[in-house]
Amino acid sequence: MSITAVLATENREYIEPLLDYLHGSEYSRQLRITAFSQSESFAQFMEESSENRRLPDVVVAEQAFLDSWSGYMGYDQPLLLLSEHGATVDGRAGIAMYQPLPRLLEKILDAGRLQSAIASRRNLEGTLTIGMISASGGTGKTTTALNMVKQLGGVGYSVFYLNLETLDSSSLFHGQEQAAGRGLSRLLYDLRSGKDVRNKQSSSILPIQEYAMRHSVLKADVFAPLVNRKEVLEMDTQETSMLIQAIAEGGGYDVLVIDASMELNGRLQGVLDRSNELIWLLNDELLSMHKCMLWLELLHKEHPSAYEGWMSKIRFVV
């Protein structure tokens, strides 16, 4: 199944070589682009597509074209703001016009694929849960997770970022904001006491927004950093699974991104069990690969019945 995209720019000399490259490359089987150089034609196409309920998977457009489209503000699918430097404006993720064409097309494809994945997950099970894992430090796990969260939030998805590291380093990247909500500590207490948890035979769902805070930089909901990190250290597999389930079922989020522990403990097993997708980051060097192999051998030895299911969800990224 190919991804459909709309490209809108006043620069006609930009459109022709891009489409020529697309049609003669391997991307022609994966991506179909409809291009416009006039804002009136673009706006008419988008309005007709909306009426027919056949919107493209992703829109890549200059601001002037978006201003001409009456449905722009209500558009809730991936929209990439096309500009010379790819700047983000008013929360809309930017994409640079002038970059290697394979890289440009990959970014458009990634946005469209994600839209399809989230739409499918929303129709089937609700929140798409992505676990970020690594067997060694220095792979960029937290940096990757935070950038993924920010990019998803920037294109309009409802996102939650959950840090389950022993030492939460994420505040270094996204800064500190005034805490709001009851916090993770109170949520863990309520989960342990069985308050409004569906797997405790209750018909109601935890209102996660009452415990979380909105982070303006990440454009996502998060928990305020714990004062006592011991509360995370004491979490076992069952409590981690309950926490992930509560966020996925009780917040109405499109995506939950989990920054997992780098130790083989109950928190990691809960992430392995509850995630729909697992991204395992490695460095391109011997020690990182060796630690990954040792982790996999230990996981297989200690959890043989679950191992095959975990492996089917993992994508290794070097």
Side-chain angles (χ1 to χ4, degrees):
M1 180 179 177
S2 61
I3 300 299
T4 59
V6 165
L7 172 68
T9 172
E10 294 178 348
N11 189 344
R12 296 184 181 183
E13 295 178 356
Y14 179 83
I15 294 174
E16 186 174 349
L18 188 151
L19 294 181
D20 285 344
Y21 175 82
L22 172 64
H23 295 151
S25 72
E26 61 184 23
Y27 294 101
S28 61
R29 296 181 180 180
Q30 307 172 59
L31 180 63
R32 291 189 294 114
I33 294 180
T34 303
F36 297 91
S37 61
Q38 295 183 349
S39 58
E40 296 83 1
S41 300
F42 165 76
Q44 181 179 353
F45 176 84
M46 293 305 299
E47 288 166 6
E48 290 177 354
S49 298
S50 180
E51 291 174 2
N52 297 330
R53 297 184 179 181
R54 299 185 63 180
L55 286 165
D57 296 311
V58 57
V59 172
V60 183
E62 294 173 342
Q63 187 64 54
F65 285 79
L66 299 179
D67 293 338
S68 70
W69 172 27
S70 61
Y72 158 52
M73 297 305 293
Y75 188 70
D76 60 358
Q77 293 180 226
L79 194 157
L80 302 176
L81 185 59
L82 186 67
S83 65
E84 184 174 348
H85 301 293
T88 297
V89 178
D90 295 332
R92 287 292 184 185
I95 186 169
M97 296 181 68
Y98 302 108
Q99 58 180 302
L101 289 177
R103 186 182 303 170
L104 175 71
L105 296 177
E106 280 292 344
K107 289 181 179 178
I108 297 173
L109 273 171
D110 285 345
R113 288 168 181 152
L114 185 61
Q115 164 62 24
S116 298
I118 290 176
S120 298
R121 179 61 56 186
R122 185 182 292 155
N123 291 336
L124 294 175
E125 301 174 31
T127 302
L128 174 64
T129 302
I130 303 172
M132 307 292 295
I133 57 179
S134 177
S136 57
T139 59
K141 176 172 65 69
T142 295
T143 305
T144 302
L146 291 173
N147 277 283
M148 178 183 292
V149 168
K150 187 174 181 180
Q151 291 294 323
L152 289 170
V155 295
Y157 293 114
S158 176
V159 187
F160 195 101
Y161 170 70
L162 175 62
N163 188 292
L164 291 178
E165 295 178 298
T166 299
L167 296 175
D168 182 358
S169 60
S170 63
S171 60
L172 174 66
F173 297 89
H174 62 68
Q176 299 285 353
E177 294 205 356
Q178 185 175 358
R182 299 178 183 178
L184 177 57
S185 179
R186 179 54 188 265
L187 175 57
L188 290 173
Y189 174 83
D190 287 344
L191 285 169
R192 288 162 182 160
S193 64
K195 178 181 178 181
D196 294 333
V197 181
R198 184 169 279 178
N199 63 8
K200 293 288 184 179
Q201 298 181 343
S202 172
S203 61
S204 59
I205 304 173
L206 278 169
I208 295 302
Q209 285 79 4
E210 292 186 11
Y211 300 89
M213 54 181 274
R214 181 68 180 174
H215 202 288
S216 60
V217 176
L218 290 180
K219 306 183 189 306
D221 284 359
V222 301
F223 292 123
L226 283 169
V227 175
N228 183 6
R229 203 65 190 170
K230 185 179 179 181
E231 293 179 272
V232 169
L233 289 173
E234 293 175 345
M235 290 175 62
D236 58 17
T237 302
Q238 181 181 4
E239 289 175 339
T240 303
S241 296
M242 289 170 61
L243 174 62
I244 295 171
Q245 180 181 356
I247 298 171
E249 294 186 354
Y253 298 104
D254 295 316
V255 188
L256 165 59
V257 178
I258 308 172
D259 199 345
S261 168
M262 287 204 305
E263 293 110 32
L264 294 168
N265 52 31
R267 278 173 285 140
L268 176 64
Q269 186 176 340
V271 174
L272 293 172
D273 287 341
R274 285 289 180 176
S275 295
N276 305 122
E277 303 284 347
L278 294 161
I279 298 177
W280 189 314
L281 296 173
L282 308 93
N283 285 327
D284 188 13
E285 47 93 12
L286 182 60
L287 183 59
S288 180
M289 298 292 181
H290 183 62
K291 285 186 176 181
C292 175
M293 181 190 70
L294 294 176
W295 262 42
L296 291 173
E297 289 177 349
L298 189 57
L299 287 172
H300 184 266
K301 180 180 179 180
E302 295 189 352
H303 308 280
S305 61
Y307 182 78
E308 185 175 344
W310 292 342
M311 290 300 297
S312 69
K313 299 187 288 186
I314 292 177
R315 301 185 186 202
F316 293 95
V317 179
V318 180

